[in-house]
């Protein structure tokens, strides 16, 4: 028994070592994640609180609160837009250091906003409190679209990628190649099948969570369904471009992980990138998930209409067509 076990163990080791793509991603993926996270989250100690200050020149503001450590002060010039970000937990506090009296806006359901408010009142007890207008947005209301989007991302990328990979490895694609079916037709069928499944699962989660715990949703559900469809198509098409050609489990898994981790960390699933370095926000705008979440939160939290999220929908449509075209062009029926 030991000899048989060792023979299989030896054969599996050789299979892995002979797979160049698997070797590369096994070594480079952890290294790339460490290096990438060191750029994003490294450097000096990061701020705990994110406070918006109503001013054109942050350096000109002279106030004791501005000397607090671990507070990231962000200058803003649009009171209405900044107060909406306070409601959406993108800012913990919004302050107007007016000459006559300091005013500040806080979301009463924000734990970090509560602590930041205590710090401000220690330096100026007479500051005038302005709770955010309208219904305060809980963190769960802000987080819920991110959870749905992350679930869509994993189902779209891994669900499609590994299915096509399995078809190629077990010879199904080789047999299908003998039929009149084209690569584009095969890929389109995979996209539509996965799209129906993702929309069904997302709808069930949306309704189920709404009935179980409730969440804030001010927008049109039909518009959210359209956004879910556009976002799912973009993510499915992205997954197909990976599975269209490769036949190694380790290689496909490595590439998919290389795509999902940056999207999960930089697309705003768990926290807002407001106040982050400009280059990080520019990189985040490349990811389809960023546009899905920005548009979903605009609809659900702010009640935005189709015109407001049209740029996000257009970006998702363009990326879907580009990924499908590239996937159909690079598609390989056989594993050899």
């Amino acid at each position: 028994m030991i000899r048989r076990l060792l023979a299989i163990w030896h054969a599996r080791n050789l299979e892995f070592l002979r797979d160049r793509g698997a070797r590369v991603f096994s070594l480079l993926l952890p290294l790339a994640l460490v290096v990438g996270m060191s750029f994003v989250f490294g450097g000096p100690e990061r701020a705990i609180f994110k406070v918006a200050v109503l001013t054109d020149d942050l350096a000109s503001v002279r106030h004791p609160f501005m000397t607090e450590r671990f507070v990231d002060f962000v200058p803003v010039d649009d009171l209405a837009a900044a107060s909406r970000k306070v409601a959406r937990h993108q800012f913990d506090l919004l302050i107007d250091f007016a000459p006559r009296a300091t005013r500040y806006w806080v979301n009463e359901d924000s734990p970090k906003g509560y602590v930041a408010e205590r710090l401000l009142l220690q330096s100026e007890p007479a500051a005038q409190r302005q709770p955010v207008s309208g219904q305060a947005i809980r963190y769960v209301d802000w987080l819920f679209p991110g959870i749905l989007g992350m679930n869509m991302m994993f189902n779209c990328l891994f669900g499609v990628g590994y299915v096509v990979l399995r078809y190629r490895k077990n010879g199904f694609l080789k047999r299908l190649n003998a039929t009149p079916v084209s690569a584009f037709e095969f890929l389109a069928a995979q996209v539509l099948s996965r799209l129906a499944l993702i929309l069904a699962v997302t709808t069930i989660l949306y309704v189920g969570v709404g009935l179980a715990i409730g969440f804030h949703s001010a927008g049109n559900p039909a518009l959210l369904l359209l956004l879910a469809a556009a976002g799912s198509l973009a993510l499915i098409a992205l997954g197909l471009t990976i599975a269209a050609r490769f036949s190694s489990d380790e290689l496909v898994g490595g590439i998919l992980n290389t795509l999902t981790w940056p999207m999960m960390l930089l697309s705003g699933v768990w926290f807002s990138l407001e106040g982050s370095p400009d280059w990080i926000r520019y990189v985040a705008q490349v990811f389809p998930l960023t546009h899905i979440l920005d548009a979903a939160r605009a609809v659900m939290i702010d009640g935005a209409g189709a015109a407001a999220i049209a740029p996000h929908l257009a970006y998702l449509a363009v990326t879907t067509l580009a990924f499908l075209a590239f996937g159909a062009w690079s598609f390989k029926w056989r594993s050899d």
Side-chain angles (χ1 to χ4, degrees):
M1 182 185 72
I2 298 298
R3 291 181 62 185
R4 293 194 299 271
L5 187 150
L6 290 176
I8 297 174
W9 172 79
H10 179 65
R12 181 65 189 94
N13 289 341
L14 290 178
E15 180 185 2
F16 173 79
L17 292 174
R18 290 169 181 169
D19 190 335
R20 184 182 303 173
R23 295 200 312 270
V24 170
F25 272 96
S26 294
L27 296 172
L28 290 187
L29 177 60
L31 180 62
L33 286 175
V34 171
V35 173
M37 292 306 101
S38 67
F39 275 109
V40 176
F41 300 108
E45 289 294 330
R46 296 181 62 83
I48 300 174
F49 305 104
K50 195 174 297 182
V51 174
V53 180
L54 200 63
T55 180
D56 294 329
D57 183 12
L58 195 62
S60 65
V61 178
R62 297 289 183 266
H63 192 276
F65 182 64
M66 299 293 292
T67 62
E68 291 285 353
R69 298 178 61 195
F70 307 117
V71 179
D72 183 14
F73 296 100
V74 181
V76 296
D77 55 8
D78 189 333
L79 175 59
S83 62
R84 284 196 300 270
K85 291 182 178 181
V86 173
R88 293 171 61 174
H89 299 266
Q90 292 177 282
F91 289 134
D92 301 314
L93 213 63
L94 167 63
I95 307 176
D96 178 16
F97 292 112
R100 293 185 178 179
T102 296
R103 298 182 301 164
Y104 68 94
W105 288 256
V106 62
N107 185 331
E108 295 178 315
D109 291 326
S110 170
K112 293 175 68 177
Y114 173 83
V115 178
E117 180 183 18
R118 298 300 99 189
L119 292 175
L120 172 64
L121 292 178
Q122 284 185 358
S123 59
E124 187 171 351
Q128 298 178 5
R129 190 175 194 264
Q130 306 284 335
V132 289
S133 59
Q135 181 179 354
I137 305 301
R138 302 168 299 169
Y139 179 64
V140 68
D141 299 322
W142 186 87
L143 179 64
F144 183 54
I147 299 298
L148 286 181
M150 184 179 66
N151 183 65
M152 288 170 52
M153 176 188 68
F154 281 111
N155 276 283
C156 292
L157 293 180
F158 287 91
V160 173
Y162 279 113
V163 167
V164 176
L165 178 63
R166 186 178 71 247
Y167 285 167
R168 182 177 292 109
K169 295 190 70 172
N170 64 19
F172 175 75
L173 291 183
K174 183 178 179 180
R175 296 192 297 271
L176 194 64
N177 189 29
T179 70
V181 175
S182 67
F184 182 82
E185 291 168 342
F186 170 76
L187 295 178
Q190 297 299 315
V191 168
L192 294 176
S193 172
R194 179 56 56 168
L195 175 63
L197 176 63
I198 293 299
L199 290 182
V201 170
T202 303
T203 301
I204 291 172
L205 289 174
Y206 182 89
V207 174
V209 172
L211 293 175
I213 63 174
F215 56 86
H216 179 84
S217 184
N220 187 343
L223 186 57
L224 286 174
L225 184 62
L226 173 63
L227 175 62
S232 297
L233 284 172
L235 292 170
I236 293 169
L238 176 59
L240 283 175
T241 61
I242 306 304
R245 190 166 186 85
F246 301 114
S247 57
S248 167
D249 291 355
E250 288 87 353
L251 178 58
V252 170
I255 296 175
L256 291 176
N257 276 304
T258 303
L259 291 172
T260 54
W261 276 94
M263 277 199 281
M264 187 168 61
L265 292 173
L266 299 181
S267 292
V269 173
W270 308 104
F271 51 84
S272 169
L273 292 181
E274 201 72 37
S276 299
D278 291 340
W279 71 269
I280 293 180
R281 287 183 286 173
Y282 292 148
V283 170
Q285 291 302 312
V286 176
F287 302 136
L289 185 60
T290 302
H291 295 270
I292 296 171
L293 299 187
D294 287 350
R297 287 181 174 127
V299 174
M300 295 178 65
I301 296 177
D302 299 330
I309 66 169
H312 298 294
L313 293 174
Y315 181 86
L316 294 172
V318 170
T319 53
T320 299
L321 293 176
F323 290 145
L324 281 179
F326 180 80
W329 172 76
S330 63
F331 187 75
K332 186 170 69 170
W333 293 100
R334 301 168 182 265
S335 59
D336 51 0

